[in-house]
Amino acid sequence: MAKKQKRSMPKSWADSKTAHAATHRSRPPNRTLLLGIGLISTLIVIAIVGAVLLIGPKNSLAGEETRIDDEVSTLLEGIPQQGRTLGSPAAPVTLQVFADLKDVDSKRWVLTLLPAIIHEFVRTNILKIEYISFKTNTLDPKTFIEQQTAAVAAGAQNNLWNYIEIFYHEQGQEYTAYVTENYLDNIANQIPELDIKQWHRDRDSGRRAEQVVTDDHTARAEGIHVTPAYRLGRTGDQLQDFNGSEAITFPHQHHPTTFASAKDLASAISQIH
C-alpha cells in the first residue's frame, strides 16, 4: 500500500498562523491590569504604614504611662493618705505646700526634690505634708477649679497625692489648653485604687470645688504669692512661712520662687522637733 502523503498547509495559512504567534509572543502585558496591581500594592503599603504609625504612638504612650504609674506607686506605697495630707497623722512636724497643677516650678519641686523629702522625713513619721491649691500659672480660673477639684476629689478616696504626682509627670506645655475632661479622666484611670464612678460623683458635688476656691482665696489673703510656696511648723501650732535655699526671681515678680530641699528641711526640722 502506498504511503499516504502528508498534505501541506497552504502558504497563506502558514504565514497567517506564524504572524499570529509572533504577535502573541511580542504583545506587551495588559497596561490596565498592571496599573490595577500597582495601585492595590500601593494601598496595601499605605495601610500597613498607617497602622504602624497609628499603633506605635499608642503603644509608646501606654508604656510611658505604665512607667509613671509604677514610679508613683513605688514612691507612695505604704504611706498613709488622708484627704490632702500625706504621712502619719501623728507626725510631729507639718509642711504645707501651695501649688498649681499647671505650674512648671511646682512640677520641678514635686518631681526632683519631693522624693528625698518623702524618703527621709515622711516615711520615718517625722513629717506630714498638706497640699493646698493656689492659682498662679493656670490662666483660666475655670480650668484651675476643674483640675484642682479633680485632685481633691481623688483625695476623698485618699488618693490625692497619686493624682497630683501623675499630673505633674504628664504635665503639658505651659500656658496651653491641654487640660480637658479626657486628660483629667485619663489620670484618674491610672490610679488602680480609685473608684472612678465615686470620683466623678465627688467632683460634681460642688463641695470640692468650694474647697479649692476657699484654699486659693485664703492663701492669697494670708500673703502667699508664688508656687511652690511653703509653711512649716510643729503640728497643731501656727505654721510659719518657709523658703528653700535655692531661689529664683523672675522678671516683674516681686517675690522669689524657692525650692525647698531635704537638706533645707533637715535644718529647719532640727530646730522644731
Side-chain angles (χ1 to χ4, degrees), residues 72-211:
V72 172
S73 295
T74 300
L75 177 68
L76 302 177
E77 186 178 10
I79 301 175
Q81 292 191 52
Q82 186 173 7
R84 69 175 72 199
T85 304
L86 177 70
S88 169
V93 182
T94 298
L95 173 70
Q96 288 183 338
V97 178
F98 299 82
D100 181 331
L101 286 171
K102 290 185 76 175
D103 175 39
V104 294
D105 294 319
S106 297
K107 171 184 176 178
R108 176 188 167 190
W109 182 78
V110 167
L111 299 189
T112 63
L113 297 175
L114 180 59
I117 294 170
I118 290 175
H119 177 72
E120 293 185 34
F121 302 110
V122 178
R123 284 198 174 277
T124 53
N125 299 325
I126 295 171
L127 180 74
K128 62 181 178 180
I129 308 176
E130 297 177 353
Y131 181 91
I132 300 176
S133 297
F134 185 67
K135 178 181 175 299
T136 51
N137 275 36
T138 305
L139 301 182
D140 178 31
K142 182 174 180 290
T143 300
F144 174 76
I145 293 172
E146 288 176 349
Q147 72 195 25
Q148 305 296 136
T149 298
V152 173
Q157 298 181 51
N158 300 326
N159 283 291
L160 178 142
W161 285 88
N162 299 73
Y163 196 95
I164 65 175
E165 280 278 349
I166 294 172
F167 193 113
Y168 284 126
H169 274 281
E170 299 178 4
Q171 190 184 77
Q173 185 176 349
E174 190 175 19
Y175 303 128
T176 62
Y178 63 87
V179 175
T180 63
E181 278 299 309
N182 286 339
Y183 177 87
L184 297 175
D185 286 348
N186 185 59
I187 293 175
N189 285 320
Q190 290 174 242
I191 305 173
E193 301 83 3
L194 195 66
D195 182 328
I196 300 298
K197 291 183 179 179
Q198 183 60 48
W199 175 72
H200 278 292
R201 286 192 291 268
D202 289 330
R203 283 184 67 195
D204 297 337
S205 70
R207 178 180 167 192
R208 273 79 196 181
E210 290 176 6
Q211 179 183 336

